[in-house]
Amino acid sequence: MKLQLIRHATLWLHYAGVTLLIDPMFGHQGANPPIANSANDRRNPLVPLPFAEAEKLRPDAVLVTHLHRDHWDEAAAAALPESTPIWCQPGDETAFAAAGFASITAIAETFSFQGVKVTRTSGRHGTGEIGQRMGPVSGFVLQAEGEPTLYIAGDTIWCDEVKQALDAYRPEMTVVNAGGARFVQGDPITMDADDVADLCRYAPYTRVVAVHMDAINHCLVTRADLQAALAAAGWLRQVAIPGDGEWV
């Protein structure tokens, strides 16, 4: 397995001979307005793609955890051939069909592709009323013979659903969307430093890869913040915090 962070939550994955593009956001720096009701008015994405050819990636399939613009944008839809297989959570398939994609699989529970088993997991995209308004989100567990089990948690805070996925699959690697994304009111809607530390404490057997930072204006926990907090708490050895374009 080889995993590359492209930017934010966009990942390029080589797994059991299959290449996957995960949560593609290909918009140019500053192309989109700031997230509404945020603490600053910086335009998104905050940074460019690490290499221009990212827009020309041709994966075997695209895995989209949910349809928020920072995980699937108009630029990605335009860049990918409409024949590209799309894997998504139930309920999102109509949006991909409307965009012209012809091979769409909504994964309710499990799905197999060329020896790779993909299992959908649940999460919570925030707490209270804000969490409900953010809509359903999914994570996915990948398993294949001869490969480590990979858990992509998706846009979720630390919660019982994440604990259940860890307990059920005991993944060797877990990708978390950190950054402490939040609005002016309410709690974070993705993991912050405390959540990442709680996950490390709960599942010391998994190698954590923290992404989803320094690219969208309401993600207020930076890579530097997360690194400092985990170092102080004694968990940094368990966590990789890749930069844009970096391989894990």
Side-chain angles (χ1 to χ4, degrees):
M1 179 177 69
K2 291 181 64 179
L3 179 70
Q4 183 184 34
L5 170 64
I6 296 179
R7 179 183 61 184
H8 194 54
T10 305
L11 306 172
W12 181 248
L13 175 66
H14 294 243
Y15 192 84
V18 174
T19 57
L20 295 178
L21 179 62
I22 300 164
D23 283 353
M25 175 184 66
F26 285 162
H28 295 302
Q29 182 179 11
N32 298 318
I35 301 296
N37 197 28
S38 299
N40 62 77
D41 60 358
R42 294 181 293 170
R43 292 184 63 84
N44 295 311
L46 303 178
V47 294
L49 288 167
F51 37 85
E53 59 268 24
E55 299 176 353
K56 300 178 182 178
L57 293 174
R58 294 293 177 260
D60 293 319
V62 174
L63 175 62
V64 180
T65 59
H66 66 304
L67 285 174
H68 288 166
R69 181 180 283 184
D70 59 327
H71 295 256
W72 172 260
D73 65 358
E74 294 87 348
L80 292 164
E82 293 178 353
S83 60
T84 306
I86 305 288
W87 306 343
C88 63
Q89 64 180 358
D92 289 353
E93 59 268 37
T94 55
F96 296 108
F101 289 88
S103 177
I104 307 161
T105 301
I107 302 175
E109 295 182 0
T110 62
F111 171 70
S112 293
F113 178 84
Q114 296 182 13
V116 177
K117 181 181 179 181
V118 184
T119 304
R120 188 174 68 86
T121 63
S122 298
R124 298 182 194 176
H125 202 354
T127 60
E129 182 181 349
I130 290 177
Q132 293 178 353
R133 286 160 57 182
M134 295 303 291
V137 292
S138 296
F140 292 90
V141 173
L142 276 65
Q143 297 169 295
E145 185 176 354
E147 292 281 6
T149 297
L150 171 64
Y151 172 32
I152 300 167
D155 264 9
T156 182
I157 57 174
W158 175 241
C159 59
D160 287 343
E161 288 84 348
V162 175
K163 294 178 186 177
Q164 290 163 7
L166 292 166
D167 291 344
Y169 301 102
R170 293 186 65 85
E172 283 91 345
M173 181 174 286
T174 299
V175 178
V176 299
N177 291 348
R182 65 190 307 160
F183 302 101
V184 174
Q185 296 86 20
D187 298 324
I189 60 173
T190 65
M191 292 193 189
D192 59 12
D194 288 340
D195 284 348
V196 177
D198 285 342
L199 190 154
C200 292
R201 187 178 299 108
Y202 186 85
Y205 53 81
T206 194
R207 173 71 164 164
V208 178
V209 180
V211 299
H212 201 269
M213 289 169 283
D214 297 322
I216 297 294
N217 76 296
H218 74 155
C219 294
L220 303 182
V221 176
T222 66
R223 292 185 181 100
D225 294 335
L226 181 62
Q227 182 171 351
L230 293 177
W235 295 111
L236 190 56
R237 289 184 180 179
Q238 192 177 337
V239 182
I241 309 174
D244 293 348
E246 186 175 344
W247 289 91
V248 177

